[in-house]
Amino acid sequence: MSDTFLTQLETTCKSDGPAAAIDSLIGHLREQKNYDRLFDALLLKKRNEMGMPLAMPTALDDLPEDRRREFEDYYVEAAREVGELFLADDNVPRAWPYLRTIGETDKVRHKLDEMPLPNDIDDSTEELIQLCLHQGAHPAKGLEIMLHTHGTCNTITAFDQALQAQLLQGEDQQQAAAMLVNELYDDLKRTVQQDVEQRIAMAPPTDSLRELIAGRDWLFENGNYHIDVSHLNSTVRFARCLERGAAELPKVLQLAEYGAKLSDQLQYPGEPPFDDFYPAHIHFFKAILGENVDEHIAYFQAKLDQEPDEQDKPYLAYELVTLLTKIDRLDDAVEVGKKHLRSLNDPNGFSFLKLCQQAGQTDAWREAARDNDDAVGFLAAVVHETSAG
């Protein structure tokens, strides 16, 4: 900021008063798009109006209790204004701290949804990925940017890391999984089609991977494969988060069917009950798709019943309950949960008490809370039952 302008501010302050000088500064900073300093100037204006100390305009710890609420309300308004100004200039990383502070993160998320995917890997792209994925502004968008710029391998690694760090949950997790399923399905279908065309002249194209591999076991002879098998394994595993009705479910079922045809050396085992990885996932996805549901539920029930280690049974039960919940067999899910998951109540994850509430089984909810010596859960069940009655 030039000395000339600073002199003008001083002159204005002496001739027209502090409020006029501050307004002049605010107008100048807004015109120059110096929005970070604009935020400070807006708070300086409010402090001056309130007769508060001016040395630290953004400070909150020197305010008298009876004036704190007034200043905090203005603080929110200033942060909103500055955050939205940054968004209007497509500067999402600078908008994020202001809007996150006041809990208006959806504005950033919507802006990110509107933005085109970058084509280059540069500092701005890395900053955007950091913002979306690691700072939590829009994890699914961050993975989409990674897939577009860094490729499948790096995206799958980032997906796994985000899951472990609990950065990906709910709709974000489902959106990212769906994106990977679509990407991998299209890539695999294309490479299988090319293989078929090389061996069968004038082979008709098809939009179905299942049709491409049907009756063509020679595609898998001698350990042949058409896509990175670790990517296939991870994508099928990630897709277990998809809910019934997701458009990608038929695709991920076909991915699992392809995987089941690979040589044994290329079929990596999973954790029980998905130790027989692709066949188990075929059962899982067919159940969600409504194909012979009882048969596929029985597969996982048998896995649970036959597990010799009692300490491992809760994990298998959790997967079965997850599947039963996805297909709205809540009463069955509660019955499995009663035996193995009564004490599992994670505020950020699975809760047996919440499952009981969803199923309308207040008795099971109340008894589980009693057994866990959970007075809060017990009373919540009683209140819920009384209110419902």
Side-chain angles (χ1 to χ4, degrees), residues 43 47 56-64 68 71-72 75:
L43 296 181
R47 277 181 170 269
M56 300 289 289
T58 62
L60 298 172
D61 57 0
D62 61 347
L63 299 168
R68 178 180 292 273
F71 185 79
E72 287 177 345
Y75 188 103

Side-chain angles (χ1 to χ4, degrees), residues 241-348:
C241 71
L242 295 176
E243 297 294 340
R244 187 168 61 173
E248 292 74 22
L249 283 170
K251 290 183 179 182
V252 72
L253 174 57
Q254 292 178 55
L255 291 176
E257 290 169 347
Y258 173 91
K261 289 180 174 293
L262 294 169
S263 67
D264 292 343
Q265 292 80 4
L266 298 176
Q267 295 190 44
Y268 308 143
E271 296 293 329
F274 298 98
D275 40 340
D276 195 5
F277 189 81
Y278 291 114
H281 280 88
I282 290 171
H283 284 289
F284 186 87
F285 293 122
K286 281 189 173 181
I288 299 177
L289 285 164
E291 301 180 18
N292 300 318
V293 176
D294 290 339
E295 170 191 339
H296 304 305
I297 294 300
Y299 172 88
F300 290 101
Q301 184 66 60
K303 286 273 189 178
L304 174 59
D305 294 341
Q306 295 164 11
E307 172 57 47
D309 191 338
E310 288 296 325
Q311 292 185 338
D312 287 341
K313 282 194 172 186
Y315 179 80
L316 276 71
Y318 172 80
E319 296 294 346
L320 176 55
V321 167
T322 297
L323 178 55
L324 289 167
T325 303
K326 284 180 182 290
I327 61 175
D328 289 333
R329 291 196 175 186
L330 297 180
D331 289 340
D332 294 337
V334 170
E335 288 305 309
V336 175
K338 282 181 182 179
K339 297 178 181 178
H340 305 286
L341 303 173
R342 288 166 65 90
S343 61
L344 186 54
N345 289 293
D346 180 357
N348 299 313

Side-chain angles (χ1 to χ4, degrees), residues 22-23 25-26 29-30 35-60 62-63 68 70-82 98 101-102:
I22 293 173
D23 285 341
L25 174 61
I26 288 172
L29 292 171
R30 187 177 277 115
Y35 299 138
D36 286 318
R37 296 303 286 166
L38 172 62
F39 179 68
D40 297 342
L42 289 170
L43 296 181
L44 178 68
K45 175 183 176 70
K46 185 61 178 177
R47 277 181 170 269
N48 182 63
E49 292 173 353
M50 295 174 64
M52 295 291 105
L54 304 180
M56 300 289 289
T58 62
L60 298 172
D62 61 347
L63 299 168
R68 178 180 292 273
E70 179 184 353
F71 185 79
E72 287 177 345
D73 288 345
Y74 188 84
Y75 188 103
V76 170
E77 293 177 11
R80 180 183 296 117
E81 178 180 351
V82 170
Y98 293 98
T101 298
I102 62 174

